[in-house]
Amino acid sequence: MRVPEGWRRVALADLGSGDRPAIKAGPFGSSLKKEYYVESGYKIYGQEQVLAGDPHIGDYYIDRSRFESLCSCEVIPGDLLITLVGSVGRVLLVPDDAEPGIINPRLVRLSVNRATVNAAYVRYWLTGDVANGLMQRLAQGGTMGVINATLLGGLRIPLPPLPEQRAIAEVLGTWDEAIALAERRLEAARQRKRGLLQVLLTGRRRFPEFAGQPWREVRLGEMGACIRGVSYKPEDLRAADMPGSVRLLRATNITDAGIDTRDVYRIASERCSPAQRLQSGDIAVCMSSGSPQIVGKAALFTTQDGLDYTVGAFCAIYRTHDGRMAPYVNHLIQSDDYRRGIARLNAGTNIQNLKPSDIHGITFPMPQSASERTAVELVLAACDEEIDLLARKVAALEEQKKGLMQRLLTGQVRVAT
């Protein structure tokens, strides 16, 4: 694509100044062996900070003498750190309050000549669809994508004059601020719901009209049953949705925000029994994982897109005997009591494998009055509606910013300077 008059295309490797090259890969692993780590000193920046978008996390350090031997890999404010392995192309702009340190071998440092280049503008370009697509195509090594510093340095960025770079970065920064505000409101709504879950589902706070009515401990196994997910072979997979295929959800599709259907497998329908087909109101549960943070994760299935869904062998479907109980049980699995029950089951093991009987045995205090359960459901449903509205607002802002980035970073829309 041609660039507007006054713009030019420049390789990332040519964005630096004479005394500080633009592209610098991290040192060889032998230079950063664990025996060189100290409790404090010069920070080692790696994928952890970039993927989290937070330079302040992490606690790996080296002493001054080792830092001086690796000072060509130094990180300073205004540098861009880019991941080279796995989630390739993720970017962090180092802020002014970042600790002094170096990059590790899984990152490349991009340093720009501030007399001609705005680092924030470059970050926006690197996080856009065009750059992301280019980096994914350059990535080598199959599923564990890898891109090296030389390939990265060859990418060519459309570069307007410096005042226009700054103006574009300021416009997009305003959108970032709006998104961050919406995300804070969304998190506040989630926190409010978590607080209500804790008091309403335990009886610590009750509606006056139900005061004195009995509660009792109820097992999940009394209210429903777990159905194990589908085992399949590579030859059972299908490339796309087609007649005779069923969408298969894995642990990665089960999120705190609900079921995510954007990245699913498809399998031959004959591999899936009628009982293993997800129904509205079912709860998908991760039953096996090497991570204690993932095992036991659960979410309500409400997708209505006309397609058939099931879950994989490392997951299960929890289905209530009475469909009217599904909304209440969905709130129970978001509660602290559920998480504590899962934690007790996982205690003392490295690889967690839950059985249906484990899920069935988790207990909760519950009002015996259907009217009281309905009252609780209505309050929590209102919370869910607020959360859904705010989540859709965040998604809309992100989509609008994405479209604006595409137009600004190609010169289709110009910003006055």
Side-chain angles (χ1 to χ4, degrees):
M1 179 183 288
R2 296 179 59 185
V3 297
E5 185 177 353
W7 290 37
R8 56 198 177 103
R9 285 195 179 276
V10 182
L12 294 181
D14 295 330
L15 295 181
S17 59
D19 58 336
R20 205 159 193 262
I23 297 289
K24 176 61 182 176
F28 290 113
S30 59
S31 303
L32 284 177
K33 292 187 289 189
K34 287 191 175 181
E35 51 262 42
Y36 300 144
Y37 294 175
V38 294
E39 291 186 2
S40 62
Y42 291 84
K43 189 162 187 166
I44 302 172
Y45 289 91
Q47 285 187 309
E48 178 184 13
Q49 291 79 22
V50 179
L51 296 178
D54 185 354
H56 304 295
I57 64 173
D59 54 1
Y60 295 123
Y61 295 89
I62 53 175
D63 62 22
R64 183 177 183 84
S65 63
R66 188 148 300 276
F67 169 76
E68 290 176 348
S69 71
L70 299 172
C71 62
S72 63
C73 302
E74 181 185 10
V75 172
I76 63 172
D79 284 342
L80 295 152
L81 309 183
I82 307 171
T83 56
L84 296 175
V85 180
S87 299
V88 298
R90 299 286 290 274
V91 185
L92 174 68
L93 176 57
V94 179
D96 291 339
D97 61 349
E99 297 177 74
I102 63 166
I103 53 172
N104 76 7
R106 298 171 76 87
L107 297 183
V108 70
R109 185 197 70 205
L110 174 59
S111 303
V112 301
N113 182 350
R114 301 185 193 190
T116 56
V117 182
N118 179 268
Y121 171 86
V122 176
R123 178 178 71 86
Y124 283 119
W125 185 81
L126 286 169
T127 57
D129 285 346
V130 171
N132 184 262
L134 290 170
M135 284 188 274
Q136 295 304 319
R137 285 196 290 274
L138 290 173
Q140 304 166 356
T143 56
M144 187 66 172
V146 177
I147 185 170
N148 64 44
T150 301
L151 291 172
L152 188 66
L155 295 181
R156 298 175 66 81
I157 179 174
L159 203 63
L162 183 59
E164 192 168 356
Q165 293 175 47
R166 290 174 178 151
I168 290 171
E170 288 174 4
V171 170
L172 294 176
T174 301
W175 280 87
D176 281 341
E177 290 172 5
I179 291 169
L181 176 60
E183 288 175 335
R184 287 195 296 272
R185 289 174 174 167
L186 174 59
E187 181 56 28
R190 287 173 173 158
Q191 290 285 1
R192 284 193 295 274
K193 182 184 177 183
R194 282 192 281 269
L196 285 170
L197 285 170
Q198 185 63 19
V199 296
L200 292 178
L201 296 179
T202 60
R204 285 165 49 190
R205 182 181 300 172
R206 299 186 66 182
F207 301 98
E209 60 268 34
F210 302 111
Q213 294 193 20
W215 284 44
R216 73 179 181 92
E217 290 287 323
V218 179
R219 294 184 302 108
L220 282 178
E222 294 178 54
M223 295 181 286
C226 273
I227 303 163
R228 288 308 301 242
V230 176
S231 297
Y232 59 92
K233 299 176 181 177
E235 56 265 30
D236 297 320
L237 294 174
R238 300 292 181 263
D241 297 316
M242 61 182 67
S245 70
V246 175
R247 287 186 156 205
L248 182 137
L249 304 176
R250 297 160 289 156
T252 52
N253 301 111
I254 304 171
T255 76
D256 291 337
I259 300 292
D260 184 346
T261 61
R262 289 176 296 180
D263 180 20
V264 297
Y265 283 2
R266 287 92 172 169
I267 61 167
S269 58
E270 57 264 26
R271 298 296 305 172
C272 179
S273 72
Q276 292 171 312
R277 306 283 177 104
L278 278 160
Q279 304 171 10
S280 182
D282 285 347
I283 294 169
V285 185
C286 175
M287 302 290 281
S288 181
S289 172
S291 169
Q293 288 75 37
I294 294 176
V295 70
K297 188 169 56 169
L300 185 70
F301 179 78
T302 58
T303 303
Q304 296 182 347
D305 57 11
L307 299 171
D308 290 329
Y309 286 82
T310 187
V311 298
F314 291 160
C315 298
I317 298 167
Y318 176 85
R319 182 171 297 151
T320 56
H321 299 316
D322 181 347
R324 291 171 296 183
M325 288 293 296
Y328 196 90
V329 174
N330 175 50
H331 296 309
L332 291 176
I333 64 166
Q334 299 174 50
S335 70
D336 290 344
D337 279 351
Y338 176 77
R339 292 188 178 89
R340 281 192 289 267
I342 294 296
R344 285 192 294 270
L345 292 168
N346 290 339
T349 59
N350 293 322
I351 299 178
Q352 289 74 30
N353 292 286
L354 298 178
K355 303 183 294 297
S357 59
D358 293 328
I359 299 295
H360 295 165
I362 298 175
T363 61
F364 303 92
M366 184 179 295
Q368 293 308 288
S369 165
S371 297
E372 186 170 2
R373 292 197 299 269
T374 299
V376 171
E377 286 175 21
L378 289 173
V379 172
L380 296 177
C383 292
D384 286 338
E385 288 179 9
E386 180 189 18
I387 290 168
D388 181 64
L389 178 64
L390 290 169
R392 283 190 278 116
K393 182 175 181 178
V394 170
L397 287 170
E398 289 175 338
E399 191 64 25
Q400 291 163 13
K401 177 195 164 187
K402 183 178 176 181
L404 183 60
M405 283 177 64
Q406 173 66 20
R407 296 191 293 275
L408 289 175
L409 297 174
T410 58
Q412 295 174 43
V413 172
R414 305 294 293 272
V415 181
T417 58

